[in-house]
Amino acid sequence: MNNSRVLIIIFAVFMLVTILVVRLANIQLIKSEEYSYYAIQQQTDVEKIEADFGLIYDRENNLLVYNRNDVTFYADLAMLPLSKRELIAEKFSKVIGKPKSFFLNLLKGKKGTITLAKKVTSEQLKSLGNLKIQGLYYKDDPTRINHYGNLASHLLGYINKEHRPVSGVTEFFRKEIEGIDGSRKIVKNAIGELVSIEEDETQPAIPGSDLVLTINKDYQSVLEEELRKGLEKFKAQSATGIIMNPNTGEILALANIDDYDPNFYWQYNDFQRRNRAITDTYEPGSTFKPFTLAALLDKKLCSPAENLYLENGTYTFNNVKIRDTHPHKYLNVSEIIEQSSNIGIAKLAQRISDDEFYKYLRGFGFGNLTSVQLPGEAAGKIKKPNDWSKISKAYMSFGYEISVTPLQLITAFSALINGGILYEPQLLLKRINHNGELEFEFEPKPVRRVVSEQTSVLMKNILRGVVKNGTGKNADVEFISIGGKTGTSQKLVDGSYSKAQYNSSFIGFFPVEDPQIVCLILFNSPDVGKYGGLVAAPVFKSVAARIIEKDFNKFEKYIDESFKQKLLFTSLEKEKSFFDSDQIKIKEVKLPADKRMPDLINCSARDAMNALTRMGIKYKIKGSGIVVNQSIEPGSKISSNEICILNCAEVTITGVSVY
Amino acid sequence: MKKLALTVFFDTLLLICLGLIIVLTASSTISAIKFSDSLYLFNSHLIRVLIAIFVMIIFSFIPYEIYKSVSKPMIVFAVGLLIFTLLFAPEIKGAGRWLSVAGITFQPADIAKLILIVHLAAMLEKKSDYLYDFRNAFVPMFIWVVVTSGLILIQPNISNGLLIIAISLTMMFVGGIKFKHIFLSSASMIVSGGVIAMIFSHSRQRIESFYNSIVNGGDLNTQVKQALVSLGSGGLFGVGIGNSKQNNLFLPEAYGDFIFAILGEQLGFIGSVAVIFFYLVLFIAGILIAKKAQDKFGQLLAFGITFSIAIYAFVNIAVATGTFPTTGLPLPFISYGGTSIIFLSAGIGILINIAIMNAKKPKVAVNNLTEKNSLRDKFE
C-alpha cells in the first residue's frame, strides 16, 4: 500500500465530507426557515368546521326547520383501486337508485377527485355498509330541511347551495342563526389525504341559535289551505293572507299563494319565492275607508248617526265622476261604511284638512316600513299634501292614489280595533342559543297612539255592522262576532285603472268585543267574481271558523252558549287528526340547577349528549335520533360513577329522518 | 488492534440500529397505505438486519487469507451471475437488477462488488513485483473491472457501475499501479462512459435535470426538492424521532435512497453531522486496519472495503443534499434496501477479521510490509 497515495485518498474523502457539512449547514441552518415554511405549507391545512344552523320552531314548539346529517361521497381516482370500482358502482346504484352505468362512468378516470354522490342520508349511509376502500371517503354535508315543505315558506326562507341564508327569518336573523364556524389544523399527506388532526389547535364551531317564531303552525296551514282553495275557486292570479294578534303585533300566520318549497327552492320562479305580503304594494280600495272615517271620528268631524246625501250613485266632484256600485239617496255614516259608499266617504273626507288627513295616514304607518323581521320590505307610497291634486283627498279616502303592502294594511287595521295603538309587527317569540340560554324574548313594541280609545270602540261597532248588515255578510260566522271591511280595487295596469282586473280583499277581526285575531285576505285578479265581499269574505269566514275549532280553548269564552255543544262535537272529531304522526315536538333540554338528572325524553340525542357532557354525567347512547328512554330517573341525584344509558329511536316521517 | 476491531463492530452496529429507527419512522405511512400494516416494511428490514449481523459475526471468524486462493473462481462466478441477471432478471422500473433465489431477492451487483474488491486485492498482491507493467499488471486487472462494471452498467445500473469503477481504480492507485495507466484508462472511460450515460434515457434525464438545476438555478426534481424541504425543516435539532411529516408520501423513497433526508428532518443538523461523523470513524478505523494489516492482500482488501462503504455513504448524502445528481444508491447500513445490508455486513466481517489477524502477529507483518513497500518504491 502506497502511503502517500492513501493520504491523497484520505484527503479527498475529507474534502468531500467538508463539502457535505457546509452544504448541510446551508440547508439545515441558513435556509431552514424557508424550507420549514414550505414544509408547513404542504404538510398542513386549516380546515373549516361549519357551524350548524339554528333550528326554527313555531310558537307551539313544533319543529319547522332542522338540519339533516347528510354526507357527500368523494372518490380520489388516483388512489381508488380499479378492481373495486365495479363493487362501488353496484352498491351506490342499489342504495341511491341511479343506474350502475352512471357511477361507472363517474369512476372512469385515473386522476383527480370526483363527487360521487351528494347529500347521502344517514339511512342510505347505513345501507351502504362498511365501504372501507382506499380513495373513497365522505364529508359531512348537512341539508337544511323545511319539515312541512311549502308551509310558511315565505316566512322561513332557506339556505342555498352556497350555504348562505336566503329570504325569510333565515336571512333576517342570519347572524344569529349561522353560528360561528370553527377550524382545525390537519396534517395531510402528499395526495391530500388527512393523516391526523392537531387537536390542540382545533377551534370548535359554535352552532347558531334556535328561533321560536310567533307563528302558529295550525293557523298557518289553515290559512294556506283556504287561500289555495280560494285561488282555485275564483281563478285568481295569486292570493295573500295574514293573521295577526292585534293587541301585540305578533304575526300568527302569513302566506302567499303561489308559494314554493324551500327544500327545492331552485325549481321555483322569483314570483313564487317572493314574500308578496311585504314586497308588493297595491291600492287597497275600500278596505281603506275605515282609516279615513277613524280620522274624522277622532277629530269629531262627524258622528256615526249623521245622515248624508249620496247623489243617487253618481257624484261629480271637481269635474271627476265618483260612482257607487249600489246607488243610494241617503245613508248615515255607519251605513256608508257598511255599504261601502265611495261618494259618502269622499264627501266626508272634505271636512278634514289635507295636513291633518296626511298626519293620520302617516300615523297609521302608511308610507313607512313596518320594520317587520323579514328582508325586502317595501314602504308603499303616500303622496305629500303639496303634491295632491284637487281630487287626491277624495280618491285617497276610498283607497286610491295610495299604495300599501298587505302587512302595512293589517298592522294599521290592528291599531284601529285594539284601542288605537299601532304596534310593530313581529315574528320572533324567542331566541335560544346552543347552551339553551334565552337570548331574546318577545315583547310588544307599541309605536304610537293613532286614534283615541273611543274612536276605536266606534270603529269596531261600525265594522261589526259591515259584516252583520253590509257588504261583509259572507264573512259572518254564527257563533262568534266578527267585524271587518271588504275591499275591491281596480288594479293599475300600465298607468290606468283596469276594468277587468281587481284586487279583492277582506280584512276582519274577532271577537268584536275583545279582538284576538285580525286577518287579511287578498285575492289578486280573480276571474270568478270580483267583489271582496264575494271572493275574500267567504275565505276569511272559513279561516276564522277553522282557527276557532283548532284553538277552541282560547276562544271558548267568546262563543255563544247555544253553539258550544255543536262545536265541541265537531272539534272532538278533529282531535284525532290533530295528533297525527306529522307532528314532531322535540323538546329542549332543560338543565336543572343542581346536579340532578335532567329529563331528556323526547330531546334530540345531540342535545342530550351536550347536556350530559356539560353536567359531567357519564352516558352511553344506544341508537340515534330522539331519546325515548333514560336509565336514570329525572330529578334523581347522580353519583360520580353512574352511567346513564339513553335509548334513542329514529323518528321517521314519510321517509325523512328527523335528525 | 482489538480496539480497532471493536470500533468497527460497534460503529457499524450503531449505524444499523439508527437505520432501524429511521426506517420505522420513514416507512410507516407507505406501509400502512400499501400493505395496510404500518410495520410491514420495518419487519422485513428487521429480518435482514438480524441476518446481516449474523453474517458479519460469521465472516469476522473466517481467516481472510483463504479468499486469496479462491478469488479467481469467485470472480468468474460473479461475472456468470451478472450475465445470468442480464438475461433472466425481471425488469423493475426499467432495469433488471434483481435476482430471486429461494424467495430471497438480491442484487448480484452487491456480491460482484465485494468479490471484485477481493479479487483486485489478490491480484495486486500477486503482481506486486511488476505493477508498473502495463500488459501484465494493469491490463488483467482492468479487464476484470471493465467486465464486471460493464455488465452492471448495461443492466442498466449506471451509478453502481460507475462507483465500482471508481472504487477499483482507487484500489489500483493505492495498490501501486502507475498513475499514468489509471489516468489514461479513466480518461478514455469517462469519454465512453459519458456516451453510454447519454444513451440510456433515465440516466440522461437525471444528468440533464442536474445540469439544469445548476445552470438555471432551480427546477430540481421532486425527490431532491422534497429532500431539501425535509432536511431544511429539521433545522438545528430536528423535529424529533417519530415526528416526521415528510414521510406522508411527500418524499418518494423516504425509507430507501433518500432516507438521509428523513433522518435530517427528525434529528436536525446535529444528527446529520453525527451520522457523517460515524461514517468517518468507520473510514478512519478501516484505513488504520489496512495500514496495520500483515500482508498486502489484507491491506488492500481492508482499504477496498472501507473505501467502498465510505464512498457509497458520502455519495448518497451528496445526492440527498442536492450536491450530486440523483442516483439510486442506498445509504449503507441505514437504508431499507433489500440485501445490500447483508453484503455490506459481510465486508465489515472481513474487515474485523483482518484487524483480529493483525493483532495475532503484529511485528512480523509490519516489518514485512515496510520491506515490500521500500522494495516497490525502488522499482518506481
Side-chain angles (χ1 to χ4, degrees), chain A residues 206-237:
Chain A
I206 300 169
S209 299
D210 294 345
L211 304 181
V212 180
L213 302 185
T214 58
I215 65 166
N216 182 314
K217 188 199 123 235
D218 295 328
Y219 290 18
Q220 181 74 30
S221 56
V222 164
L223 181 64
E224 289 183 13
E225 276 169 37
E226 293 303 328
L227 286 178
R228 233 178 273 277
K229 265 192 249 171
L231 193 77
E232 185 98 338
K233 192 171 168 191
F234 303 113
K235 308 248 181 301
Q237 269 179 15

Side-chain angles (χ1 to χ4, degrees), chain A residues 358-426:
Chain A
Y358 179 74
K359 224 177 96 185
Y360 268 99
L361 297 186
R362 293 302 295 239
F364 277 113
F366 294 115
N368 272 343
L369 296 175
T370 65
S371 305
V372 69
Q373 296 134 321
L374 288 169
E377 194 192 2
K381 209 171 179 190
I382 169 170
K383 284 191 276 190
K384 285 193 177 129
N386 285 345
D387 301 331
W388 292 1
S389 68
K390 281 176 184 167
I391 54 160
S392 282
K393 191 160 67 180
Y395 265 77
M396 283 165 74
S397 73
F398 51 87
Y400 287 92
E401 288 199 21
I402 176 170
S403 70
V404 302
T405 66
L407 184 66
Q408 262 179 344
L409 192 76
I410 195 172
T411 305
F413 195 83
S414 297
L416 214 54
I417 56 161
N418 68 8
I421 294 167
L422 185 75
Y423 285 98
E424 200 175 293
Q426 291 187 69

